[in-house]
Amino acid sequence: ALYAAAIQVDRDKRHDCRYIDMAAVRRNILKIAKLLPNNRLIDHLKACALEYGCPNAQNFFLSRYEAPLPVSPSCNASCLGCISFQKGKSCPVSQPRIRFVPTDEEVREIALFHLENVRQPIVSFGQGCEGEPLIQDKLVARAIALVRKETSKGTIHMNTNGSRPVALARLLDAGLDSVRISLNSAREDYYRRYYKPRGYAFGDV
């Protein structure tokens, strides 16, 4: 048999598939689709939940923990291990990238539905099924403003490569609560080899 030496350092159950009720996910997809019938993000998140096993998408339909807010079909990096886009066929993507830019209203609907129905909710831009959310900073800023006009609940979060610090500052001013910056190495040479940045530099990050 195969063995691995490991120490469990995180006991959070939110991404543990043993605690995700897929029958409930399927039922709630139908319910939420009826509540938000014109929102294209529902179909996108449905595929993420059912076809690609994304726990955040599944948790959105279970009205718990963290809900994804994908907004960007493009990226300014060409990461070697990108799970949503690969030029060649030798390494197929595990979760194809979103193919459209949602409207302010579509993002607002998803975010508000989650923030208003979940205990200690979080909604997050920058998912595995999208490119770089800072590329859509104007859309994100408008969406955050719309959400915060209606509720102060929960955390609005972003996962980003940190490539556009001015844009990120604008989003923080708009009401973004927390940020996670992706960084594979603090050494510029190794960073560039993996991320292959386009239009930004290691110094920006």
Side-chain angles (χ1 to χ4, degrees):
L2 296 175
Y3 293 87
I7 297 174
Q8 184 175 359
V9 296
D10 186 356
R11 299 190 181 277
D12 198 324
K13 298 177 181 178
R14 70 182 62 199
H15 289 164
D16 192 327
C17 61
R18 293 174 297 175
Y19 303 102
I20 295 177
D21 184 344
M22 289 306 298
V25 170
R26 292 184 181 91
R27 287 195 303 270
N28 290 340
I29 285 172
L30 298 176
K31 292 178 182 178
I32 296 173
K34 288 181 180 178
L35 290 172
L36 307 174
N38 300 314
N39 195 313
R40 294 171 296 169
L41 283 172
I42 295 297
D43 282 338
H44 178 76
L45 295 177
K46 172 184 174 181
C48 293
L50 298 182
E51 295 180 43
Y52 307 115
C54 172
N56 281 349
Q58 292 165 349
N59 283 326
F60 165 69
F61 290 112
L62 292 173
S63 289
R64 64 182 195 174
Y65 305 134
E66 182 178 351
L69 297 174
V71 295
S72 181
S74 58
C75 192
N76 55 0
S78 297
C79 299
L80 291 176
C82 182
I83 66 170
S84 66
F85 180 79
Q86 291 289 334
K87 289 183 178 179
K89 295 181 180 179
S90 61
C91 181
V93 298
S94 58
Q95 192 166 354
R97 192 170 290 177
I98 190 171
R99 296 182 179 178
F100 64 92
V101 177
T103 65
D104 307 358
E105 180 61 19
E106 286 173 317
V107 177
R108 183 195 71 85
E109 281 187 339
I110 298 293
L112 274 179
F113 180 85
H114 196 74
L115 293 172
E116 294 289 357
N117 290 289
V118 176
R119 181 175 170 270
Q120 295 182 325
I122 177 172
V123 292
S124 57
F125 301 95
Q127 299 296 313
C129 63
E130 67 174 313
E132 172 50 47
L134 282 181
I135 293 175
Q136 298 295 335
D137 61 301
K138 293 179 181 178
L139 163 65
V140 173
R142 293 194 303 268
I144 290 174
L146 289 173
V147 169
R148 285 309 185 209
K149 277 184 180 179
E150 299 188 51
T151 185
S152 61
K153 293 180 181 178
T155 299
I156 301 177
H157 173 76
M158 175 175 282
N159 303 300
T160 171
N161 61 23
S163 57
R164 304 180 65 210
V166 173
L168 182 55
R170 186 183 303 121
L171 296 182
L172 293 170
D173 289 340
L176 187 67
D177 296 304
S178 67
V179 180
R180 179 181 66 83
I181 307 281
S182 298
L183 190 72
N184 72 322
S185 176
R187 299 178 181 179
E188 182 174 0
D189 183 47
Y190 292 111
Y191 178 89
R192 285 191 292 103
R193 289 189 204 181
Y194 180 82
Y195 280 86
K196 298 182 180 180
R198 302 191 306 268
Y200 74 94
F202 180 75
D204 295 317
V205 181

mmCIF file of all heavy atoms in Angstrom, residues 122-143:
data_model
loop_
_atom_site.group_PDB
_atom_site.id
_atom_site.type_symbol
_atom_site.label_atom_id
_atom_site.label_comp_id
_atom_site.label_asym_id
_atom_site.label_seq_id
_atom_site.Cartn_x
_atom_site.Cartn_y
_atom_site.Cartn_z
ATOM 1 N N ILE A 122 -18.914 34.213 3.454
ATOM 2 C CA ILE A 122 -17.844 34.848 2.682
ATOM 3 C C ILE A 122 -18.140 34.643 1.208
ATOM 4 O O ILE A 122 -18.587 33.559 0.804
ATOM 5 C CB ILE A 122 -16.447 34.293 3.059
ATOM 6 C CG1 ILE A 122 -15.351 34.922 2.178
ATOM 7 C CG2 ILE A 122 -16.413 32.780 2.967
ATOM 8 C CD1 ILE A 122 -13.937 34.570 2.618
ATOM 9 N N VAL A 123 -17.955 35.680 0.400
ATOM 10 C CA VAL A 123 -18.053 35.566 -1.057
ATOM 11 C C VAL A 123 -16.701 35.974 -1.621
ATOM 12 O O VAL A 123 -16.054 36.887 -1.101
ATOM 13 C CB VAL A 123 -19.187 36.445 -1.638
ATOM 14 C CG1 VAL A 123 -20.551 35.927 -1.216
ATOM 15 C CG2 VAL A 123 -19.024 37.904 -1.238
ATOM 16 N N SER A 124 -16.253 35.279 -2.668
ATOM 17 C CA SER A 124 -14.883 35.528 -3.113
ATOM 18 C C SER A 124 -14.736 35.575 -4.621
ATOM 19 O O SER A 124 -15.261 34.730 -5.342
ATOM 20 C CB SER A 124 -13.940 34.468 -2.535
ATOM 21 O OG SER A 124 -14.353 33.178 -2.900
ATOM 22 N N PHE A 125 -14.018 36.590 -5.064
ATOM 23 C CA PHE A 125 -13.577 36.702 -6.447
ATOM 24 C C PHE A 125 -12.247 35.962 -6.570
ATOM 25 O O PHE A 125 -11.486 35.874 -5.611
ATOM 26 C CB PHE A 125 -13.375 38.174 -6.827
ATOM 27 C CG PHE A 125 -14.595 39.022 -6.694
ATOM 28 C CD1 PHE A 125 -14.829 39.765 -5.540
ATOM 29 C CD2 PHE A 125 -15.517 39.099 -7.723
ATOM 30 C CE1 PHE A 125 -15.962 40.564 -5.423
ATOM 31 C CE2 PHE A 125 -16.653 39.886 -7.617
ATOM 32 C CZ PHE A 125 -16.870 40.618 -6.464
ATOM 33 N N GLY A 126 -11.969 35.446 -7.772
ATOM 34 C CA GLY A 126 -10.702 34.773 -7.994
ATOM 35 C C GLY A 126 -10.787 33.302 -7.685
ATOM 36 O O GLY A 126 -10.273 32.822 -6.675
ATOM 37 N N GLN A 127 -11.467 32.561 -8.558
ATOM 38 C CA GLN A 127 -11.673 31.129 -8.364
ATOM 39 C C GLN A 127 -10.840 30.334 -9.356
ATOM 40 O O GLN A 127 -10.310 30.876 -10.328
ATOM 41 C CB GLN A 127 -13.158 30.799 -8.534
ATOM 42 C CG GLN A 127 -14.061 31.504 -7.549
ATOM 43 C CD GLN A 127 -13.811 31.085 -6.110
ATOM 44 O OE1 GLN A 127 -13.718 29.903 -5.794
ATOM 45 N NE2 GLN A 127 -13.694 32.059 -5.213
ATOM 46 N N GLY A 128 -10.792 29.029 -9.147
ATOM 47 C CA GLY A 128 -10.059 28.168 -10.073
ATOM 48 C C GLY A 128 -10.648 28.126 -11.457
ATOM 49 O O GLY A 128 -9.978 27.777 -12.429
ATOM 50 N N CYS A 129 -11.933 28.497 -11.573
ATOM 51 C CA CYS A 129 -12.624 28.447 -12.870
ATOM 52 C C CYS A 129 -12.581 29.793 -13.590
ATOM 53 O O CYS A 129 -13.412 30.058 -14.459
ATOM 54 C CB CYS A 129 -14.073 28.025 -12.667
ATOM 55 S SG CYS A 129 -15.041 29.191 -11.660
ATOM 56 N N GLU A 130 -11.630 30.646 -13.252
ATOM 57 C CA GLU A 130 -11.538 31.932 -13.942
ATOM 58 C C GLU A 130 -10.089 32.371 -14.072
ATOM 59 O O GLU A 130 -9.173 31.718 -13.563
ATOM 60 C CB GLU A 130 -12.353 33.003 -13.218
ATOM 61 C CG GLU A 130 -11.832 33.392 -11.845
ATOM 62 C CD GLU A 130 -12.597 34.561 -11.232
ATOM 63 O OE1 GLU A 130 -12.819 35.564 -11.922
ATOM 64 O OE2 GLU A 130 -12.967 34.455 -10.043
ATOM 65 N N GLY A 131 -9.910 33.493 -14.772
ATOM 66 C CA GLY A 131 -8.589 34.075 -14.907
ATOM 67 C C GLY A 131 -8.297 34.987 -13.729
ATOM 68 O O GLY A 131 -8.630 34.679 -12.592
ATOM 69 N N GLU A 132 -7.686 36.143 -14.018
ATOM 70 C CA GLU A 132 -7.293 37.078 -12.959
ATOM 71 C C GLU A 132 -8.397 38.114 -12.713
ATOM 72 O O GLU A 132 -8.720 38.907 -13.604
ATOM 73 C CB GLU A 132 -5.988 37.779 -13.343
ATOM 74 C CG GLU A 132 -5.567 38.909 -12.430
ATOM 75 C CD GLU A 132 -5.572 38.520 -10.965
ATOM 76 O OE1 GLU A 132 -5.034 37.437 -10.623
ATOM 77 O OE2 GLU A 132 -6.111 39.289 -10.147
ATOM 78 N N PRO A 133 -9.005 38.144 -11.520
ATOM 79 C CA PRO A 133 -10.114 39.070 -11.266
ATOM 80 C C PRO A 133 -9.733 40.546 -11.287
ATOM 81 O O PRO A 133 -10.593 41.398 -11.543
ATOM 82 C CB PRO A 133 -10.611 38.643 -9.875
ATOM 83 C CG PRO A 133 -9.442 37.970 -9.247
ATOM 84 C CD PRO A 133 -8.725 37.284 -10.371
ATOM 85 N N LEU A 134 -8.453 40.875 -11.046
ATOM 86 C CA LEU A 134 -8.053 42.290 -11.087
ATOM 87 C C LEU A 134 -8.193 42.877 -12.485
ATOM 88 O O LEU A 134 -8.264 44.091 -12.643
ATOM 89 C CB LEU A 134 -6.615 42.454 -10.596
ATOM 90 C CG LEU A 134 -6.393 42.411 -9.082
ATOM 91 C CD1 LEU A 134 -4.925 42.617 -8.760
ATOM 92 C CD2 LEU A 134 -7.248 43.446 -8.368
ATOM 93 N N ILE A 135 -8.233 42.019 -13.509
ATOM 94 C CA ILE A 135 -8.451 42.509 -14.872
ATOM 95 C C ILE A 135 -9.846 43.114 -14.994
ATOM 96 O O ILE A 135 -10.080 44.026 -15.788
ATOM 97 C CB ILE A 135 -8.243 41.372 -15.893
ATOM 98 C CG1 ILE A 135 -6.762 40.955 -15.914
ATOM 99 C CG2 ILE A 135 -8.697 41.777 -17.291
ATOM 100 C CD1 ILE A 135 -6.472 39.769 -16.805
ATOM 101 N N GLN A 136 -10.781 42.633 -14.187
ATOM 102 C CA GLN A 136 -12.155 43.131 -14.180
ATOM 103 C C GLN A 136 -12.403 44.032 -12.964
ATOM 104 O O GLN A 136 -13.481 44.026 -12.379
ATOM 105 C CB GLN A 136 -13.129 41.947 -14.172
ATOM 106 C CG GLN A 136 -13.046 41.046 -15.383
ATOM 107 C CD GLN A 136 -13.452 41.749 -16.665
ATOM 108 O OE1 GLN A 136 -14.218 42.721 -16.633
ATOM 109 N NE2 GLN A 136 -12.956 41.266 -17.794
ATOM 110 N N ASP A 137 -11.405 44.833 -12.610
ATOM 111 C CA ASP A 137 -11.502 45.613 -11.377
ATOM 112 C C ASP A 137 -12.661 46.615 -11.372
ATOM 113 O O ASP A 137 -13.289 46.830 -10.333
ATOM 114 C CB ASP A 137 -10.182 46.339 -11.091
ATOM 115 C CG ASP A 137 -9.799 47.314 -12.196
ATOM 116 O OD1 ASP A 137 -9.641 46.877 -13.350
ATOM 117 O OD2 ASP A 137 -9.648 48.516 -11.905
ATOM 118 N N LYS A 138 -12.982 47.196 -12.514
ATOM 119 C CA LYS A 138 -14.091 48.158 -12.547
ATOM 120 C C LYS A 138 -15.416 47.467 -12.278
ATOM 121 O O LYS A 138 -16.265 47.981 -11.528
ATOM 122 C CB LYS A 138 -14.113 48.890 -13.885
ATOM 123 C CG LYS A 138 -12.908 49.805 -14.085
ATOM 124 C CD LYS A 138 -12.956 50.498 -15.440
ATOM 125 C CE LYS A 138 -11.727 51.388 -15.634
ATOM 126 N NZ LYS A 138 -11.724 52.042 -16.967
ATOM 127 N N LEU A 139 -15.618 46.298 -12.898
ATOM 128 C CA LEU A 139 -16.827 45.514 -12.646
ATOM 129 C C LEU A 139 -16.904 45.113 -11.172
ATOM 130 O O LEU A 139 -17.957 45.250 -10.532
ATOM 131 C CB LEU A 139 -16.824 44.263 -13.527
ATOM 132 C CG LEU A 139 -17.790 43.138 -13.125
ATOM 133 C CD1 LEU A 139 -19.230 43.584 -13.262
ATOM 134 C CD2 LEU A 139 -17.523 41.878 -13.935
ATOM 135 N N VAL A 140 -15.792 44.635 -10.639
ATOM 136 C CA VAL A 140 -15.765 44.193 -9.243
ATOM 137 C C VAL A 140 -16.075 45.353 -8.300
ATOM 138 O O VAL A 140 -16.853 45.205 -7.348
ATOM 139 C CB VAL A 140 -14.400 43.561 -8.901
ATOM 140 C CG1 VAL A 140 -14.314 43.258 -7.408
ATOM 141 C CG2 VAL A 140 -14.178 42.286 -9.715
ATOM 142 N N ALA A 141 -15.507 46.520 -8.564
ATOM 143 C CA ALA A 141 -15.760 47.694 -7.718
ATOM 144 C C ALA A 141 -17.239 48.074 -7.740
ATOM 145 O O ALA A 141 -17.830 48.372 -6.692
ATOM 146 C CB ALA A 141 -14.892 48.864 -8.176
ATOM 147 N N ARG A 142 -17.836 48.050 -8.927
ATOM 148 C CA ARG A 142 -19.270 48.377 -9.032
ATOM 149 C C ARG A 142 -20.113 47.348 -8.283
ATOM 150 O O ARG A 142 -21.072 47.691 -7.576
ATOM 151 C CB ARG A 142 -19.698 48.448 -10.491
ATOM 152 C CG ARG A 142 -19.093 49.600 -11.278
ATOM 153 C CD ARG A 142 -19.816 49.816 -12.600
ATOM 154 N NE ARG A 142 -19.837 48.627 -13.434
ATOM 155 C CZ ARG A 142 -18.917 48.338 -14.375
ATOM 156 N NH1 ARG A 142 -17.903 49.160 -14.574
ATOM 157 N NH2 ARG A 142 -19.017 47.241 -15.107
ATOM 158 N N ALA A 143 -19.767 46.077 -8.434
ATOM 159 C CA ALA A 143 -20.535 45.015 -7.787
ATOM 160 C C ALA A 143 -20.432 45.119 -6.266
ATOM 161 O O ALA A 143 -21.437 44.961 -5.553
ATOM 162 C CB ALA A 143 -20.039 43.656 -8.261
#
